[in-house]
Amino acid sequence: MLSIPKHTLIQDVPTRWNSSHDMLERYLEQQAAVYSALTEKAIKKNKDITTLSDQDVRMAEEIVETPGSRPYLVDDACRERIYSSLITEIVSMEEKSEEATGTSAASSSSGAGHSGAPESSPPVKKSAMTELFDFEEVSNLLTLEANATKLAVSGFTASLSGEEDVKLDLMEDEEGLEEMSKLLEGGTPTGGFWTFEYYKSFFNVDTVQVLDRVKGSVMPMPGKNFIKHYLRSKPDLYGPFWICVTLVFSVAISGNLSTFLSQMGDQSYHYRPQFHRVTIAAVVIFMYAWLVPLCAWGFLTWQKGDEGQMGGYTFLETVCVYGYSLFIFIPTSLLWIIPLEWLRWLLILVSTVVSGSVLVLNFWPVVRDHTKVTAIATLVTIVILHSLLAIGCKIYFFQTAVPMAAPETTTQLLLTTQVTKSH
Amino acid sequence: MAEADGSSRPFAGLSDVSISEDIPVEGDISMPPAGPSAQDDGFSTLDEPVRDTVLRDLRAVGNKFVHVLYPKQSKALLRDWDLWGPLLLCVTLALLLQGGSADSKEDGGPQFAEVFVVIWFGSVIITLNSKLLGGTISFFQSLCVLGYCIMPLTVAMVVCRVVLLGGSGPASFAVRLVVVCASFGWSTFASTAFLADSQPPNRKALVVYPVFLFYFVIGWMILTFSPSQ
């Protein structure tokens, strides 16, 4: 009947930009239909319906027909915000979505021109239809004020409408970055130290990796830094902890066995499990595995802080290196059961050399830049502490006679073994 | 400005449809009384004799023991976990294992407290380890499984004690060795049968090794038990 398109009336809404403008525009478009509806008998009975007076309609026409009136309905502060966020988005998107501007540019420009009809913009795919609509309006703002970014904006809206394409481009271009973030995710602990997830990041290793690291600790190759080569910024606490536990039990059990074997011929000997040795072994080994790396790390960091160099290790990496370097002592302690004294000392020598060299190769690059005296002193201290642990374990747990009280110094131990041996 | 005449037009035909007031809406809100068992369920455990309550729990514990003895892939241990069984086993084992305190306290076997601590702290640490490695099993479920799987070792302890009554020569040592090795293998196998599915596949060995170590240490304590004179 009336030659106007079939549209519903729009109501303005405070959360939608330019909704008042659209409301007025739509009303003016449908004015004829509204008036004809108002003349119906059923409506006319109700005297309470108020309509726009002529003055109001004239005002509405003025607002709608003023060229460029739409930008004036947007708040200034809004516009600033829109500009800044959009500009940053455009700058970042420009670098990524050069290909996406192809097909959808035509539809987006047509969509941008026909801004009064949100229901007729087909390229919008997801529920951010409102976002697309808003950005289209904002793109209008920008085209009104800055022609230079017009292409970028159309590319931006196109990329918004072709959202899935952009995602694919992102995937292709930033695979490296994603991998890096995944690595970082595994490496850096999230949450505070009181959460469970913080510690979960320290156990992010697979069986193959643990075996690999163990192998690397047993076979030190010159030039292969254990931390750089095997850890690769993913230190774990699984290895050090369980190697220490295994070492504690292997030392205690082997010591017990060796005592038993050495006393087998003795008729008056009554076998005793000597369980308290486990406690002592646990205390000694765990203190070594945690305090010595703490001191080493503190010392190296302090040294590094003095001269401002890079390349130090984190505390966790130091603990990791020390923990894995203790692995060689597990088979050594099992072999210590064999009651040959010279073999035991030979084993001490071999194991100290191997694990000491792992540590030395590891700390050499950090220490190398210090003065020669400091460097050599540091490395020698590390090796000496390591060998002290080995010797102490051997002497205390593998004595060939009745064990005495807990040792305090190495010389005291040597004296007691001399005394007990000489009968 | 709600002259939404345009929008009310599509619904114009419905203007005279209404729910007439005289169609009664009726029904019965009260629940039909179920059988006496359903209603009394919440109350019956108060009224039942104590023997029934205790026997119910004992039966659950015994059922789990049977599951450990024949470790198939059943979910009974995991689904309704309880810690009664592990407590019973741990106390029994610690009582049987405690070294003679009459002798010099330096050289004795593990004391009751030491065995208790080893078993419970060991279980807790293994559970934490498996959770940190990404396991999906819950804390108490894992404790329950590890505790129940000590059962073969407790049986071995009883057997060892009986064998030791007959003397402590090398023959008895050989018998004890065989018994302890068999029960250690059985325990490890049973616990991995229950725990293995909840671990990520590339870390199974990392989780199984501490369990192996745990039962090995307990087996060692059983094997080296020597009765005080």
Side-chain angles (χ1 to χ4, degrees), chain A residues 204 207 238 246 272 276, chain B residues 9 106-107 202-203 206 209:
Chain A
N204 201 9
T207 314
Y238 177 91
T246 315
R272 298 245 171 258
H276 65 285
Chain B
R9 283 209 177 245
E106 289 274 341
D107 293 1
N202 52 345
R203 295 180 184 181
L206 292 185
Y209 170 70

Side-chain angles (χ1 to χ4, degrees), chain A residues 164-395:
Chain A
E164 287 156 52
D165 300 332
V166 168
K167 257 195 188 154
L168 285 172
D169 291 335
L170 270 179
M171 291 288 273
E172 280 157 7
D173 296 346
E174 303 190 25
E175 242 176 20
L177 277 180
E178 278 194 31
E179 246 180 45
M180 187 79 85
S181 64
K182 247 186 260 177
L183 276 177
L184 284 177
E185 254 179 78
T188 57
T190 55
F193 63 88
W194 57 89
T195 60
F196 191 69
E197 277 69 31
Y198 180 77
Y199 297 104
K200 210 166 178 176
S201 60
F202 298 143
F203 279 75
N204 201 9
V205 279
D206 295 336
T207 314
V208 185
Q209 285 174 338
V210 169
L211 290 176
D212 207 30
R213 291 174 188 190
V214 162
K215 195 168 56 89
S217 77
V218 179
M219 299 188 300
M221 313 236 209
K224 261 197 197 168
N225 189 345
F226 183 79
I227 287 186
K228 292 282 183 293
H229 189 74
Y230 289 102
L231 291 190
R232 284 182 212 184
S233 316
K234 261 180 75 175
D236 68 303
L237 278 182
Y238 177 91
F241 180 72
W242 286 108
I243 288 178
C244 288
V245 169
T246 315
L247 185 62
V248 163
F249 284 114
S250 78
V251 162
I253 290 177
S254 313
N256 195 269
L257 266 181
S258 80
T259 317
F260 172 70
L261 284 177
S262 69
Q263 303 278 356
M264 225 168 37
D266 194 351
Q267 292 299 327
S268 63
Y269 174 71
H270 183 72
Y271 172 73
R272 298 245 171 258
Q274 291 169 321
F275 195 74
H276 65 285
R277 283 182 161 185
V278 172
T279 333
I280 295 176
V283 166
V284 165
I285 287 177
F286 271 98
M287 269 181 32
Y288 179 82
W290 289 91
L291 285 186
V292 172
L294 184 68
C295 299
W297 170 76
F299 178 71
L300 287 174
T301 313
W302 172 62
Q303 284 272 324
K304 180 182 73 132
D306 269 8
E307 299 161 20
Q309 294 159 9
M310 300 296 296
Y313 301 127
T314 68
F315 173 59
L316 208 58
E317 286 169 346
T318 325
V319 166
C320 211
V321 153
Y322 263 91
Y324 278 106
S325 71
L326 286 178
F327 176 79
I328 187 86
F329 289 115
I330 296 177
T332 313
S333 64
L334 291 175
L335 287 174
W336 273 339
I337 298 176
I338 303 172
L340 296 170
E341 210 48 42
W342 61 268
L343 182 65
R344 289 180 179 174
W345 284 105
L346 180 67
L347 283 170
I348 288 182
L349 193 64
V350 166
S351 57
T352 313
V353 161
V354 168
S355 61
S357 58
V358 168
L359 291 175
V360 163
L361 281 172
N362 206 35
F363 287 113
W364 174 245
V366 182
V367 162
R368 156 174 66 193
D369 300 319
H370 301 160
T371 65
K372 196 144 192 197
V373 177
T374 328
I376 299 214
T378 318
L379 292 175
V380 165
T381 319
I382 290 177
V383 174
I384 284 187
L385 281 174
H386 219 66
S387 52
L388 270 182
L389 177 77
I391 296 175
C393 278
K394 184 258 169 204
I395 288 177

Side-chain angles (χ1 to χ4, degrees), chain B residues 5 13 19 21 26 44-45 51 56 64-65 72 82 93 103 108-109 115 146 156 158 172 195 202 206 223:
Chain B
D5 294 51
I19 298 178
E21 295 299 324
E26 63 184 27
S44 62
T45 55
R51 195 174 65 109
R56 187 189 313 127
K64 293 206 190 67
F65 279 149
K72 290 186 268 285
D82 73 88
L93 197 58
D103 292 333
V115 176
L146 287 170
V158 171
S172 83
L195 287 178
N202 52 345
L206 292 185
L223 186 61

Side-chain angles (χ1 to χ4, degrees), chain B residues 183-203:
Chain B
S183 60
F184 157 69
W186 194 353
S187 287
T188 314
F189 172 68
S191 65
T192 50
F194 290 118
L195 287 178
D197 274 350
S198 64
Q199 308 304 326
N202 52 345
R203 295 180 184 181

Side-chain angles (χ1 to χ4, degrees), chain A residues 121 124-135 160-161 163:
Chain A
S121 54
V124 175
K125 285 192 175 96
K126 61 168 204 166
S127 65
M129 189 172 131
T130 56
E131 286 168 44
L132 179 62
F133 185 65
D134 292 340
F135 275 123
L160 266 188
S161 52
E163 209 201 8

